[in-house]
Amino acid sequence: DGGITQSPKYLFRKEGQNVTLSCEQNLNHDAMYWYRQDPGQGLRLIYYSQIVNDFQKGDIAEGYSVSREKKESFPLTVTSAQKNPTAFYLCASRTTSANQETQYFGPGTRLLVL
Amino acid sequence: AQSVTQPDIHITVSEGASLELRCNYSYGATPYLFWYVQSPGQGLQLLLKYFSGDTLVQGIKGFEAEFKRSQSSFNLRKPSVHWSDAAEYFCAVGGGNNDMRFGAGTRLTVKP
């Protein structure tokens, strides 16, 4: 059963705490992405990675960090420096072959602050 | 820089009625265009995409979209809406690599 999985579905963060959101794909895709979704604002790119051990900042990277140690996995850490972390977080992936620009999305993780 | 505008934040249609969701984009070259649908608390599902060729593209669930270069538009249509189509719809534009941009979304409500 191929696809993108995200865990957990819901995550609660306390003040000053770092939390990590998991994203795993078994689609053999090279590129992976993290987006933040807030009501009425669409999706905003946090970080992306086109290849293992390499990643780039997106539009709203401050307060977030990522790693890409394996092709299948692209975890996102929301650090204590992110002052407004409450949002829905979506992971996506795509192949980097030519004319294969389509991104496929996971089911999302909702992060709430206690 | 590319951008996407979805002028309608919320649309309500009656079940069985036709639907058109508007999308306008700004992009310096030939764009790749997408429509995604999102049910509450879920990820985004691809409905259809345009890369090149025929400007009228067919997607899943009976949706279609037409690329009009002269109007910089990529409107989504469905001839007869079902109650299960109630969701949020996102238009996106990209041109390669990692520069995909999403609109703010249009929420569709279907009246019985």
Side-chain angles (χ1 to χ4, degrees), chain B:
Chain B
Q2 62 270 28
S3 64
V4 178
T5 302
Q6 293 181 246
D8 304 305
I9 296 174
H10 183 206
I11 283 182
T12 299
V13 300
S14 297
E15 191 168 15
S18 64
L19 171 70
E20 183 169 28
L21 302 182
R22 296 183 291 163
C23 173
N24 294 98
Y25 68 90
S26 173
Y27 195 76
T30 301
Y32 298 144
L33 294 160
F34 307 83
W35 275 100
Y36 288 88
V37 61
Q38 184 182 35
S39 297
Q42 303 296 317
L44 275 65
Q45 180 184 22
L46 179 70
L47 283 176
L48 49 77
K49 60 188 177 185
Y50 171 79
F51 285 178
S52 64
D54 192 346
T55 56
L56 184 64
V57 292
Q58 302 297 321
I60 62 171
K61 305 185 180 187
F63 286 92
E64 66 177 26
E66 186 171 13
F67 170 54
K68 293 186 177 180
R69 184 187 301 273
S70 61
Q71 299 178 18
S72 297
S73 69
F74 188 57
N75 294 350
L76 182 71
R77 300 193 295 247
K78 186 169 186 178
S80 177
V81 171
H82 187 263
W83 63 267
S84 61
D85 293 323
E88 188 140 23
Y89 292 80
F90 291 93
C91 181
V93 62
N97 292 326
N98 306 287
D99 58 354
M100 182 175 279
R101 299 290 171 176
F102 289 83
T106 297
R107 183 162 62 93
L108 174 65
T109 297
V110 180
K111 293 191 303 184

Side-chain angles (χ1 to χ4, degrees), chain A residues 87-98:
Chain A
F88 192 52
Y89 290 86
L90 288 161
C91 179
S93 72
R94 73 172 181 90
T95 176
T96 52
S97 301

Side-chain angles (χ1 to χ4, degrees), chain A residues 10-22:
Chain A
Y10 296 96
L11 186 57
F12 299 91
R13 194 190 90 163
K14 297 179 181 178
E15 290 287 336
Q17 185 182 40
N18 294 353
V19 293
T20 298
L21 286 61
S22 169

